[in-house]
Amino acid sequence: MYFDSHAHLDDARFQPDFDDILARMRENGVTGMMNIGCDLPSSERSIERYDWIWAAVGSHPDDADHVDEARIARYRALCQNPRVRAIGEIGLDYHYEDIPREIQKTAFRMQLALARELSMPVVVHEREAHEDGMRIIDEFPEVKGVFHCYSGSLEMAKELVKRGWYIGFTGVITFKNARKAVEVAEWLPLSRTLIETDCPYMAPEPFRGRRCDQSMVPQMAKKIAEIKGLAPEAVAQATFRNAVTLFRLDAAGV
């Protein structure tokens, strides 16, 4: 039983064979999934009709220039839907810097404030912005969540865990050059580990370069099990329970 803690199944690339993807999810034991918003349209699409697909709403750093009080009000309204269990994905991305850093930081703070107001966890996208990312989350000690598709150092991972955060691994963990991710996964307590597809991106080996989907989730569990010297079933069960805990799904009967 697997939980895909970060997916974008609303992406247009899935529409031609959407029903087949859902069937493959079940066939591969993926019985829970969090669909993640990147902007307002994708956040609205993420609120699915399937009772085992949950939603997060928020603006990715690439959409930070659209985050204002009106956008926050809309996200607040969407959070009234019981399918919405997190604010995300939010954060900082300094790789391309299409959106100025100060605008990204303002949007990140506004959405963390919303999560604090609503007592909701967050899904953080952080790329090449480690220092600013840590500084900003420290301004909101009440807010916890997951750093998805983790790309930071082992030292940063230790600080996040100390603060009560989770760390998510995509198919990158299976890549031959994923030295840093492997080092973090080896140390990381299983109780703070999540697995995710980030589909349609980040397909694991041996599917690298293809469109990622939920049928590939077991590959991440298998690789983490190999790194930690555990049975894949142990990783699957632990990461499923971690997702249920983080996103507070116990009350929903998961």
Side-chain angles (χ1 to χ4, degrees):
M1 193 163 63
Y2 300 92
F3 196 110
D4 182 359
S5 65
H6 192 114
H8 301 284
L9 200 57
D10 62 290
D11 189 281
R13 279 167 279 190
F14 293 118
Q15 295 315 301
D17 58 343
F18 188 79
D19 291 337
D20 289 341
I21 290 168
L22 293 184
R24 289 199 299 274
M25 288 172 69
R26 291 295 194 178
E27 289 167 5
N28 285 274
V30 182
T31 57
M33 192 189 86
M34 180 67 66
N35 205 67
I36 310 293
C38 292
D39 53 21
L40 182 56
S42 62
S43 294
E44 291 172 336
R45 291 194 304 267
S46 290
I47 304 173
E48 293 287 351
R49 62 187 181 275
Y50 302 99
D51 62 5
W52 47 277
I53 298 181
W54 307 90
V57 301
S59 284
H60 183 283
D62 289 347
D63 190 56
D65 55 338
H66 292 100
V67 176
D68 55 17
E69 291 301 335
R71 176 64 63 85
I72 293 297
R74 181 60 184 143
Y75 288 150
R76 184 182 292 110
L78 289 177
C79 288
Q80 299 307 304
N81 188 304
R83 308 305 307 163
V84 178
R85 293 293 171 139
I87 304 296
E89 62 186 284
I90 63 177
L92 304 171
D93 193 321
Y94 292 172
H95 184 69
Y96 294 112
E97 299 199 67
D98 295 329
I99 307 297
R101 293 186 180 188
E102 290 306 313
I103 292 176
Q104 291 190 43
K105 288 189 277 189
T106 296
F108 191 19
R109 287 186 173 100
M110 290 177 73
Q111 293 178 99
L112 284 167
L114 177 64
R116 179 175 60 190
E117 172 195 333
L118 300 178
S119 298
M120 297 185 77
V122 294
V123 177
V124 172
H125 171 107
E126 183 275 301
R127 187 180 187 191
E128 298 177 20
H130 308 321
E131 185 176 344
D132 283 348
M134 293 297 289
R135 184 182 297 115
I136 290 174
I137 67 167
D138 280 347
E139 296 172 15
F140 298 85
E142 311 93 334
V143 179
K144 309 298 180 187
V146 56
F147 269 56
H148 103 94
C149 192
Y150 187 73
S151 61
S153 66
L154 176 58
E155 291 71 24
M156 180 175 159
K158 290 180 177 179
E159 287 300 317
L160 286 168
V161 169
K162 189 186 300 183
R163 289 160 171 77
W165 286 70
Y166 292 81
I167 289 175
F169 295 102
T170 64
V172 170
I173 192 72
T174 69
F175 296 174
K176 289 180 178 155
N177 61 348
R179 179 188 57 79
K180 189 186 298 185
V182 168
E183 181 184 35
V184 172
E186 185 175 29
W187 169 84
L188 186 66
L190 196 55
S191 61
R192 289 287 150 182
T193 304
L194 294 175
I195 54 177
E196 57 178 274
T197 57
D198 199 14
C199 68
Y201 316 105
M202 305 297 183
E205 298 288 2
F207 310 107
R208 188 174 181 179
R210 290 171 47 182
R211 183 194 69 178
C212 189
D213 66 44
Q214 281 64 39
S215 68
M216 302 175 189
V217 172
Q219 298 297 324
M220 279 69 92
K222 180 180 178 182
K223 181 62 178 181
I224 291 172
E226 176 187 313
I227 292 168
K228 299 181 81 65
L230 299 170
E233 294 77 14
V235 175
Q237 291 171 8
T239 53
F240 191 100
R241 179 49 51 186
N242 293 343
V244 168
T245 300
L246 171 61
F247 298 121
R248 303 168 190 172
L249 302 179
D250 286 298
V254 174

